[in-house]
Every structure is written in C-alpha cells, then in structure tokens.
Amino acid sequence: MKRRVYLLLCIAMFSLTAYAGNRDAQDTAAVNKLLRQSSSLQRSNVDSCYLLAIQALQLSQNAQYQQGLAGAYIRMSAVMMIKGKSDSAMSYAQMAIAISEHIEDHLRTSYAYLLMGYLYQDKGMPDSSMAMIYESQRYGELAKDSGNLLRVFGVLGNFHLEYKEYDKALFYYLKTYKLSLKVNNMSSAADALIGIGNVYYFKGKLHTALRYYFKVDSLSRLLNEKTGVAQNLNNIALCYADLKQYDKALDYYLMALKEYQAFGMRSEEANLYYNLACMYEALQQSNGVVFYANKALILAQELDGRDKVAKCYQLLARAYGQKGDYTKAYHYQEQYALLNDSLLNTEKVRSISEMQTKYETELKNQEIAILQRENDISRLKASRSLGMNVGLGSALLGIVFVAFGFYTQSKKKEKLNTELTFEKKKSDDLLLNILPEEVANELKQNGEAVARQYNNVTVLFTDFVNFTGLSEQMSPTELVQEIHRNFTAFDAIIEKHGLEKIKTIGDAYLAVCGLPNETTDHAQRVARAALDIRDYMANNSGKFEVRIGIHSGPVVAGIVGVKKYAYDIWGDTVNTASRMESSSEAGKINISTSTYELIKAAFNCTYRGKINAKHKGEVDMYFIDQSVT
C-alpha cells in the first residue's frame, strides 16, 4: 500500500471517440464531442469528466448508439476508479465489455478489460488482474491500432515493475517515452517518466527517482493535468521521506492531500494517510502513526480495500506495541492475521473454482464425444440385427451379407475403441505435463483438487545475470534457443533430484521440494540440485551466468487460472526465496538461515553476514560451497 503505481495513465490516451456509421449524424457527432471533452478533463476535473460521460450515455441511449454507450461506460468506469469506488467502476467496465464485444469494437474492449485489470489489482487480486490484462492485450492486437502500442508498452512496463523485474520495466518505459515524443503525445510521455521514476524508486536510487518525478511535475502542470500533478506530489513526498528529509516530505504530502480532497480521490487519500503513518513510524512517533493509520483505515474500510485494511491493522499493531498498549497491539495483529489469511485464500479459491468448472466442462465435452461414438456403434449393431432378419428365400445371400457386415462393424468398433483409448492417453499425458501426478489423479477422481498448505518445503529460484543487456545483443531466435537449452538441462536436474518444477517466469526458474509428497530431506535435495545447476552453468552456459536463491518454510500450493491453468505455490517462503536469489551473486547459491540449519551437516557453507533484503530488513545469508557427503 505504501507505493501505489500510477495506473490510470494508459486509459487517458484514448479519447473513446465513437464513429457515426449509419446513425443520425447530428446525434453521433454530439456523442463524439462529449466523449472527447470528457476524456480531456479526466486528469484535471474528474467531476466534469463524469457529467459529460453521463450526457454522452443518455444521448447514446436515445439514439441506440452502441459505440457511444461503450465509450461512455468506459469513461464513467475510469472516473469511479479515480474516486476509489471500485464496485461502481467494475460494473461500468463490465457493461462496456458486453457492448463492445457484441459490436466487435476491439479497441474499446481492450480498454475496458484494462480497466478491469487495474480494478482487480487495486483489490489485491493479482491473478484476476493479469487475466484481464492478457485479454486487453489480445483485443488490442485485434484492433491493429498504431496508437495502441503506447498502451501495450505501458502495461508491460507496469507488469514487470509489479514483479520487480526492474531492467525489463525500464526497457518498456523507455520505449513508451521515445514513441510518445515521436508521435507528440505528451500525456503518454509524462506516464512513461512516472514509470521510470518508479523503477528508480524501487531500486533505492531516490535522487534519480526525484529528478524524474520533478520532470513529471513540470510536464503535468504544463498540460494542466491536475490529478496527475496530485499523484506525482505523493511520489515526491515518498522520496523525501525515504531520504529522511521529513519536513519536505510533509510539505508535499499536504499539497497532495489538498488536491486529493478537492477531486474526491478517496482511494489516493487513504494511501497518502498510510504513507504519513509510515513516515511517523520512521520518526518513532507512535501517536502520529495511530492518528494517520486510523484515518487510512476508515477510508480503506469504506472503499472495501481489504489489502489496505490489512496493512493498516499491521501498522496499528506495531504502533500500539511501541506505546506499550499490548492489548490493542494484540487485537490489531490478530485482525491483520485473519484478514491476511483471507486475502491469501479468497483469490486462490476463486481461481481453483473457475479451473474446476473449466475441467468439468471439458469432461462433459469428452462424454458427449464418447456418446456420439457409442451411438455410431449402436447404429451399426442395429443395422447388423436388421441384416440378420433377412427372409429365408435369400438365406445364403443374407448370411454372406451379415457375416461381412459383422466383420466390418467389429473393425469399426475396434477402431473407435482404439481412438478413444488413444485420446484418453493423450489427455492424461497432457494433464501430467502441467500438474504433479498426485494432483492430476485427485482432479480426475474427484473432479477437484483442493489447495493445501505444506509446512516443510524448500523453494529454489534461479535467474540469469544481466539478462536484459545480453538479450539485446542476441537475435530472438538465438535468445530462445539459449534459454531453451539451459532450461532443458535444469528440467533434467530437477527430475534427477526429485524436485517439482513449478514454472518459468521469463528468464527465472522456480522449483520446490517437499510437495505434493512430503519428504524429510527436501532441503538437501534442493541443495544438490542447485550445485548441479551451478556446475552445469559454469561448464556449459554459453553467454549466461546464473544466480540461485533457496529458502525453506511453509507454502500454499494449488491450481490457478482458467486458461492455460497451472500448479502454483504462494506464501512468504516463495517471496523470501526470491529475495535470496536477488541477493545472490553470479555463479553462487545463496541460502537463508532456515535452509542452512537443515543442510549444514551435509554441505560446506560460507556465512555472508547480515545483508539487507528488500522488505525483509537485515537477513543472515550463506553461500553453499560444496557437498561433504
């Protein structure tokens, strides 16, 4: 909650102007004008933007003008999102999707799905968010609109920033900025500068981030984009707070707060109060923490921002602990734990439910195909019976005919059964290729696979060093071949040591040991696999070097997704393993204390000391050197 990525930027690039078609020219022209005016006011006066969208909606309804309706709903959804009214925003976006898909307006459909993606992200539902963004990208490609490139680059930048792939995020933000200047889209240029500033902020390069944020401030004021100015003031305040220049930070927070309140940007106001509470926590002024955290909590509860509510509970628990009020501290910590567990489970249960529905639908389709084939067989049997009732006067001919028919029908039935067996094996093999065998069997037997918690597993992350820089020196074909060669070797090593491959994420590789079948030597198996991967890369890697990170602890595992579903794992253990990887070095295997304690008798390790890990603070880390057994 402390750092909100500037999400509304891509939406404003599209004016949502409708096209007249066969409708009355005056009505459609009026709708187009209202939508253009509404779009131009989104960054400076959201209330006027909304009123103009309402007028466009009413006029479109009277004229039965579908494109105008879709455009108006998209604009209304964007305004509701700015105001923090996510349920209303989602409702408008869904109506826009229904209309634009019906009339095959791919560009509007793309923008409506993008809004849905942002709304799900704000609700703390990343899986649903990414599903919507993928749909947005798909429809954007169908639209074949050159201006859509700006949106695609911006979304890709935000995606990589969300997953802390900073080099990739910076690459796409720079592409957005260059293209924006080329087509003279200064609003999009401001968006790209915000993204670049965000990258440097998260990388801890605060002075560089400030330079970009001040460029955004100048450009936004020049363009009279008041909401953009307000959001960027919060960015500047965050930088000064992290630089411990608290007086300057407070000045910028208060300037941003004034703008948020003027424009009714309640979600941003809640975020700002939380930031102020964090600043007072850094100053060890618990009264200030309680004051601003409570203001943030009230707004977050009103807006149904469950992720924000959980973070406010956590902040209040620490503040009351510092004040010595342990009763309240325990109360808020308990509330945080309950809500955090709910946030972890709700999205996963929904995803699993959707996946089960899809699987059941596919089973029904297979059953229908089987029934159709059985009907074919039944018809063949019926024709055989009919043939056997031929009159005695042509008995000899009938016997010959029936014998031939029986032989033919038997061959057809045998072929059909063979095809069914083959198709079933293909289906089973495909399922085993994307799910662990135990999970696949549970899914086939019960029609569902329940998400489970495993308390003792070890997670392995790998990543290629300077991947972005090296990839720019290679052709796409060479790049894919190199990644494929290495990951194929990793797959063999993972299988050799009894680990479960979870997925690849770009140039990262994620695997785990200890699930779905629990094992006591999970940490040792992962350590041996990591050493094999390290040695393979040292001897055969070609252009790439690898960083490896390992951490042991509990995870939740289950099936997610509706399209291209997959087995996945979640929890702080996964995040910590990722931190171990990012804190490692080229050709090294970096592990946490929990993993070290499990393997220290069997492996030589070097203590690195306490090293700062993002969002984890100072953490004891070790390098695995070699096995001693």
Side-chain angles (χ1 to χ4, degrees), residues 512-525:
V512 63
C513 188
L515 62 82
N517 293 322
E518 297 183 4
T519 176
T520 57
D521 63 342
H522 52 88
Q524 290 89 341
R525 291 189 186 193

Side-chain angles (χ1 to χ4, degrees), residues 82-154:
I82 294 173
K83 287 180 171 287
K85 298 180 179 179
S86 58
D87 290 339
S88 296
M90 194 165 286
S91 177
Y92 289 137
Q94 288 168 339
M95 286 188 281
I97 288 170
I99 295 169
S100 56
E101 282 189 331
H102 177 70
I103 62 176
E104 298 185 352
D105 188 332
H106 299 319
L107 197 54
R108 278 183 182 75
T109 307
S110 175
Y111 275 86
Y113 271 117
L114 185 61
L115 278 165
M116 293 288 288
Y118 291 155
L119 289 162
Y120 275 123
Q121 185 181 49
D122 202 40
K123 283 179 172 287
M125 301 169 70
D127 293 339
S128 294
S129 175
M130 286 314 305
M132 295 297 102
I133 291 174
Y134 285 141
E135 283 297 287
S136 174
Q137 182 176 351
R138 183 170 71 88
Y139 277 102
E141 290 169 353
L142 289 173
K144 296 180 180 179
D145 185 275
S146 58
N148 196 50
L149 280 174
L150 287 170
R151 178 185 63 83
V152 172
F153 292 155

Side-chain angles (χ1 to χ4, degrees), residues 519-564:
T519 176
T520 57
D521 63 342
H522 52 88
Q524 290 89 341
R525 291 189 186 193
V526 173
R528 286 192 287 270
L531 286 169
D532 282 358
I533 290 173
R534 183 196 67 181
D535 295 344
Y536 168 81
M537 293 297 293
N539 298 322
N540 304 283
S541 68
K543 294 187 177 181
F544 292 140
E545 293 182 289
V546 71
R547 279 192 308 262
I548 304 174
I550 301 173
H551 177 62
S552 303
V555 300
V556 174
I559 303 171
V560 296
V562 179
K563 297 179 180 178
K564 299 182 181 178

Side-chain angles (χ1 to χ4, degrees), residues 82-272:
I82 294 173
K83 287 180 171 287
K85 298 180 179 179
S86 58
D87 290 339
S88 296
M90 194 165 286
S91 177
Y92 289 137
Q94 288 168 339
M95 286 188 281
I97 288 170
I99 295 169
S100 56
E101 282 189 331
H102 177 70
I103 62 176
E104 298 185 352
D105 188 332
H106 299 319
L107 197 54
R108 278 183 182 75
T109 307
S110 175
Y111 275 86
Y113 271 117
L114 185 61
L115 278 165
M116 293 288 288
Y118 291 155
L119 289 162
Y120 275 123
Q121 185 181 49
D122 202 40
K123 283 179 172 287
M125 301 169 70
D127 293 339
S128 294
S129 175
M130 286 314 305
M132 295 297 102
I133 291 174
Y134 285 141
E135 283 297 287
S136 174
Q137 182 176 351
R138 183 170 71 88
Y139 277 102
E141 290 169 353
L142 289 173
K144 296 180 180 179
D145 185 275
S146 58
N148 196 50
L149 280 174
L150 287 170
R151 178 185 63 83
V152 172
F153 292 155
V155 169
L156 289 170
N158 291 340
F159 173 83
H160 289 300
L161 184 67
E162 180 74 15
Y163 285 92
K164 301 176 177 57
E165 297 171 331
Y166 300 128
D167 291 342
K168 294 175 184 176
L170 186 60
F171 171 78
Y172 283 109
Y173 287 137
L174 287 170
K175 283 178 74 74
T176 306
Y177 183 67
K178 290 176 182 177
L179 182 58
S180 300
L181 295 181
K182 183 177 180 180
V183 300
N184 197 32
N185 189 328
M186 292 299 101
S187 292
S188 181
D191 301 344
L193 291 172
I194 280 278
I196 296 169
N198 289 339
V199 170
Y200 285 115
Y201 174 84
F202 285 118
K203 291 181 76 171
K205 298 181 178 180
L206 301 175
H207 291 291
T208 305
L210 267 176
R211 287 204 301 273
Y212 281 100
Y213 290 150
F214 279 123
K215 288 181 180 180
V216 173
D217 184 73
S218 299
L219 187 53
S220 296
R221 292 180 189 278
L222 182 65
L223 297 170
N224 196 33
E225 294 178 349
K226 295 179 181 178
T227 57
V229 169
Q231 288 173 311
N232 191 58
L233 289 171
N234 182 71
N235 296 341
I236 294 171
L238 275 168
C239 284
Y240 278 128
D242 288 354
L243 288 168
K244 303 188 187 313
Q245 297 182 33
Y246 298 116
D247 290 341
K248 287 185 177 180
L250 184 59
D251 288 341
Y252 279 99
Y253 276 137
L254 293 178
M255 284 190 283
L257 179 61
K258 181 179 178 182
E259 299 296 329
Y260 289 159
Q261 291 174 336
F263 292 111
M265 300 168 69
R266 292 165 63 77
S267 179
E268 300 293 352
E269 185 179 351
N271 197 60
L272 186 144

